[in-house]
Amino acid sequence: MLSDTHFYFNQAADVLGLSDIVRKILLTPQRTMTVELAVENCEGELKYYTGYRVQHNDARGPMKGGLRFHPSMDEDHASALAGLMTWKTAVVDIPFGGAKGGIDCNPREMSDKDLAQVTRLFVAEMKDFIGPTIDIPAPDMNTNARVMGWIMDEYSKFKGFSPAVVTGKPLELFGSEGREEATGRGVMISLREALTEQGKSFSDITVAIQGFGNVGSNAARLIADHGAKIVAVADHTGGVSNEDGLDIAALTAWVIETGGVKDFAGGSGFSGDSIITWKADVLIPAALQDVITEENAHEVKAGLVIEAANAPTTPAADAILLERGVIIIPDILANAGGVTVSYFEWTQNIQQFRWELDRINDELNKVMVKAYRGVSDVAAEFQVDLRTAAFILAIRRVGKAGLARTHLDPATFIG
Ligand code: NAD
């Protein structure tokens, strides 16, 4: 995964004619930390975990990125995802850099008490390296608002009341209105902008979505509300399709009740894997990384792919899709709605003032529209695809901010 991010970065760096030394500076994380987390669990057993935090770049502001709790968590994952966050925050032009981290634990096999203990120990070890003006964690895979609440509480024990140390908190603990659906809303806005460019509207299109969790279900609801037909949805349990458009409210209720889309009565079942090659105008991967590959890219029928998940397209598949004329809205643009509303949460915490939902959605719309059009303009200027354009935009912003802090002339180093 690290090599995929570097590949896309280098594609844009080639267009900009960046030197090797500037590439190295921009690609290398500023700080990489591992901490030992040895705890006695509820059963009296001694358990050992490793905590990671990679702080990639803070040229444009405090670093921002999720905390992932998963047995596969390691430095390589954290490093790749931290870099993506630097480029993502730059694309949407919010005043943050990028970071990522986590713990190599499996929350499904741990009691809440054990999980809280490990989380608090991680914060105690990291307390001098995170903070509202340094590095602000957020939820990611297997972490949620509750875990963010523990982080705020533990950090505040050492540093005093500090809601802005972490985002994605529960509403009653200084979280933000609109955060839950923000990534899905950003996906809908990206799609709307792409359709507008093509002279189309939501009512003209059919959509297939992989993943019906936070991002996929919210994106499906908002896109369907605007008049598009969601003709197929797949998740880890299987797939369900309906040519007339699935009833997303009913499907959501079914998934809450049963845990997955399988056996939903409002459509026909199919094996979830074929969602990537489903006959639809738009494909939205909103589940896993590396799902559009060299093997299936030739069979993708959609003309537009909106990357709601992080890194769903391998570089080889990306090249095949582009060759076939498929338009890809890259992850660092399409799924940036979440980190944008995280920025609003941090802002509200610092202001000690709560914004209404309408204001959140209004500001999110402005940020996403500006980002989309900025990327589209760069694509036209350099005659490149949207992913390369997004990286060009981000590299310029990050590189110039870093150099503006020095006596060096940014124009000499960044095109
Ligand atoms: P989630 O855990 O809420 O949902 C994940 C969905 O993926 C579920 O519907 C699950 O059934 C499905 N899934 C899992 N394995 C699958 C498989 N093998 N085949 C098909 N579907 C499968 O996660 P989420 O928060 O919706 O995140 C989804 C993606 O979006 C991830 O890549 C995440 O990194 C990315 N993302 C999320 C946010 C956010 O704010 N939540 C922000 C940016 C990016």
Side-chain angles (χ1 to χ4, degrees), residues 81-99:
L81 293 164
L84 264 189
M85 288 306 296
T86 298
W87 314 125
K88 194 179 295 187
T89 51
V91 166
V92 283
D93 204 10
I94 56 177
F96 287 140

Side-chain angles (χ1 to χ4, degrees), residues 21 24 93 95 158 161 166 273 310 334 360 362 404:
I21 183 73
K24 189 170 172 59
D93 204 10
F158 293 104
F161 176 66
V166 65
D273 290 346
N310 283 319
I360 302 273
D362 202 39

Side-chain angles (χ1 to χ4, degrees), residues 171-255:
L171 261 183
E172 55 275 18
L173 212 55
F174 313 99
S176 177
E177 296 283 354
R179 175 63 187 88
E180 196 73 17
E181 65 164 48
T183 306
R185 182 170 286 276
V187 168
M188 179 275 289
I189 297 167
S190 302
L191 172 56
R192 188 192 65 208
E193 291 304 300
L195 292 174
T196 305
E197 273 192 334
Q198 296 177 1
K200 290 185 190 159
S201 68
F202 282 106
S203 56
D204 298 326
I205 57 159
T206 55
V207 182
I209 303 182
Q210 184 189 46
F212 203 70
N214 173 297
V215 180
S217 66
N218 280 302
R221 175 175 55 82
L222 291 162
I223 290 167
D225 283 353
H226 281 78
K229 273 186 200 158
I230 313 293
V231 290
V233 168
D235 71 2
H236 69 287
T237 63
V240 61
S241 72
N242 185 332
E243 274 184 29
D244 297 325
L246 291 158
D247 177 340
I248 298 302
L251 181 59
T252 303
W254 176 256
V255 170

Side-chain angles (χ1 to χ4, degrees), residues 1-5 8 77 84 210 276 285-297 307 309-318 331 387:
M1 177 172 192
L2 187 57
S3 58
D4 290 3
T5 312
Y8 292 134
H77 265 83
L84 264 189
Q210 184 189 46
I276 300 298
L288 308 169
Q289 66 192 53
D290 295 341
V291 290
I292 308 179
T293 64
E294 219 170 342
E295 281 72 47
N296 61 19
E307 292 186 339
N310 283 319
T313 314
T314 65
D318 186 70
D331 49 5
R387 189 191 311 280

